[in-house]
Amino acid sequence: MSDQDHAEIRRHLDRLAADGIDVVRVTYPDLIGTDRARDVLVEELPRTLEHGLAFCRAVYHTSPQGDVVPVSGGLDAGLPDVCVRPDLATLVALPWEPGVAACLADVTDPATGAPAPESPRDLLRSVLERCREHGLSPVVGPELEYFLCEPDPAGGWRRYAANPGVVYTAGLRADPDNHLLRTLRQVRDLRIGVLSGNHEFDGGQFEINLLHSEALSAADRAFRFKAAVKELARREGRLATFMAKPFNDAGGSGFHLHLSCEGEGEEARNTFDDPSGAYGLSATARYAIAGVLAHAPALAALLNPTVNSYKRFGPDTLAPWLIDWGLDNRSAMVRVPPERGAGARLELRLGDASANPYLAIAATTAAALLGVLAGEEPPAPLEGYGYDTAKAAVLPMDLSAALDALEADTSLAELLGKDFTDSYLTYKRNEVERFQRHVTDWEFTEYAYHL
């Protein structure tokens, strides 16, 4: 390390000591967007920065049930290491853990020093670099919904405060234990750009919105937000889940992405705005919309990444399942909000809350870039209430079909990278296979007594 590096580390150490911090939690996203981490004593931070932390690369290939999926570079290579180094620029004290600060990390292959092929944060970086090569700097505003659950005396989990008719409300009518207020204040103090929150459509469902920012920052903040909400719920003895559709008698949870682009230079502005353009949108914005529509089947594999994701789709769900766009139309897959000028943007409503923020944003910006490069106009916008299969193509309706669409979309797969795409397809197809072999409660209820 250079003298400048040592001085920078010393400044961080002094700041941590002044704040009473003696542990740094070093965290990074795995392939499904779950946080992986190690707690490091502050006095060992310089050593950690120099040598890194060793993790098994197969952490990227491990299922939620702890099975190691046979992805190339993991089991077949003898379960080698990756090297994880703290990114001190992301250090922040955890408001709910006295004496603990957290930071994100960079993950590399120790043999080459290159980013690990499955690293979601580095995948997004590579896509954004391609955008910059064409003079575009994507700006993203994430919107995430989740369900809060509490222990059911009969076993398992039930929805917290499952009262109907409380959409777009705040206060005790929808939230008798003030979960939302506590959570808002804690994540505000995490300094991840939280804007507001409210009770959502279904009982026990909440939405918290994050400010828009440069795309990598938006992904970092969405990742940290999801981890924080789940951790804060655990402290209450509850479960916060970003699962797409956890209950049969309720709707699903979305992960909507507001996307615009800025140009380069001192006069950088929102390049999606053009008062003289069709719909008040620039050609760049219209081409980006066309790109998202063209690559929507493949995008579903990354924005709707679980078997459960596709149970969120269907008529009258307010979740998009047709490939269309509209002007301020929430029944369309791509909605263009009414703001123009600095607020001109598209809102992709395809994603569900289980999506890995890094992969969702990387895939969306990649599709938009491909649209800009293709230079094709989108079809006419949807008018009125949508969900008419005579007017628009249907998205993949299960994970297997979405994965096939991703594999077939060679231009999107090339932009995301062959190594990543191959690993993701192998990992997710294993998920489909395990689900298809599993006997569900529905099957037993449907068949056991009568057959």
Side-chain angles (χ1 to χ4, degrees), residues 35 96 222-232 234 242:
D35 51 312
W96 57 88
F223 166 67
R224 300 181 95 163
F225 166 76
K226 292 178 73 172
V229 168
K230 289 184 282 188
E231 188 75 356
L232 289 168
R234 292 184 192 108
F242 291 86

Side-chain angles (χ1 to χ4, degrees), residues 311-434:
K311 296 177 181 179
R312 169 177 165 263
F313 290 163
D316 301 319
T317 62
L318 292 182
W321 56 286
L322 300 181
I323 302 171
D324 53 12
W325 76 285
L327 301 169
D328 198 15
N329 191 329
R330 282 181 170 81
S331 65
M333 188 191 79
V334 176
R335 167 180 173 255
V336 176
E339 294 90 345
R340 294 294 182 268
R345 64 194 186 278
L346 65 86
E347 178 193 11
L348 179 59
R349 299 173 60 81
L350 171 63
D352 68 66
S354 66
N356 181 329
Y358 295 96
L359 303 188
I361 294 173
T364 302
T365 54
L369 174 61
L370 289 170
V372 171
L373 296 179
E376 296 180 356
E377 293 282 347
L382 170 69
E383 293 186 4
Y385 193 58
Y387 308 114
D388 183 350
T389 56
K391 296 180 178 179
V394 179
L395 284 160
M397 294 306 290
D398 59 57
L399 179 58
S400 183
L403 294 171
D404 290 345
L406 175 60
E407 184 175 31
D409 193 332
T410 53
S411 57
L412 184 68
E414 184 277 329
L415 197 48
L416 297 176
K418 184 179 187 305
D419 288 342
F420 165 79
T421 303
D422 288 348
S423 294
Y424 187 82
L425 290 171
T426 300
Y427 180 86
K428 282 294 173 178
R429 282 177 170 149
N430 176 271
E431 179 179 328
V432 173
E433 291 166 7
R434 287 185 288 112

Side-chain angles (χ1 to χ4, degrees), residues 5 32 36 51 64 78 81 86 110 125 131 205 247 277 295 378 392 405 439:
D5 291 334
I32 61 174
R36 304 287 178 169
H51 299 290
D81 278 348
R125 282 174 169 148
C131 289
Q205 188 183 38
F247 301 103
H295 298 280
V439 179

Side-chain angles (χ1 to χ4, degrees), residues 177-391:
D177 193 39
N178 267 334
H179 157 81
L180 181 61
L181 281 180
R182 282 194 305 276
T183 303
L184 269 178
R185 286 168 174 153
Q186 295 276 33
V187 293
R188 172 199 63 196
D189 295 342
L190 193 59
R191 303 203 304 271
I192 57 172
V194 170
L195 176 63
S196 61
N198 59 266
H199 194 280
E200 250 301 326
F201 190 86
D202 285 291
Q205 188 183 38
F206 297 89
E207 177 177 281
I208 295 179
N209 297 327
L210 305 177
L211 295 167
H212 64 274
S213 69
E214 178 273 328
L216 180 60
S217 167
D220 285 344
R221 293 183 297 109
F223 166 67
R224 300 181 95 163
F225 166 76
K226 292 178 73 172
V229 168
K230 289 184 282 188
E231 188 75 356
L232 289 168
R234 292 184 192 108
R235 293 175 66 85
E236 299 178 355
R238 294 176 170 133
L239 170 72
T241 180
F242 291 86
M243 182 177 172
K245 185 177 169 63
F247 301 103
N248 281 314
D249 62 345
S253 291
F255 182 7
H256 299 167
L257 294 174
H258 293 253
L259 173 68
S260 62
C261 281
E262 291 183 350
E264 295 182 322
E266 295 181 2
E267 300 300 322
R269 60 173 187 85
N270 186 342
T271 60
F272 278 14
D273 179 62
D274 182 356
S276 64
Y279 319 111
L281 299 172
S282 68
T284 298
R286 301 194 305 273
Y287 298 160
I289 291 169
V292 170
L293 297 177
H295 298 280
L299 290 181
L302 295 151
L303 279 81
N304 309 108
T306 71
V307 168
N308 174 258
S309 293
Y310 297 82
K311 296 177 181 179
R312 169 177 165 263
F313 290 163
D316 301 319
T317 62
L318 292 182
W321 56 286
L322 300 181
I323 302 171
D324 53 12
W325 76 285
L327 301 169
D328 198 15
N329 191 329
R330 282 181 170 81
S331 65
M333 188 191 79
V334 176
R335 167 180 173 255
V336 176
E339 294 90 345
R340 294 294 182 268
R345 64 194 186 278
L346 65 86
E347 178 193 11
L348 179 59
R349 299 173 60 81
L350 171 63
D352 68 66
S354 66
N356 181 329
Y358 295 96
L359 303 188
I361 294 173
T364 302
T365 54
L369 174 61
L370 289 170
V372 171
L373 296 179
E376 296 180 356
E377 293 282 347
L382 170 69
E383 293 186 4
Y385 193 58
Y387 308 114
D388 183 350
T389 56
K391 296 180 178 179

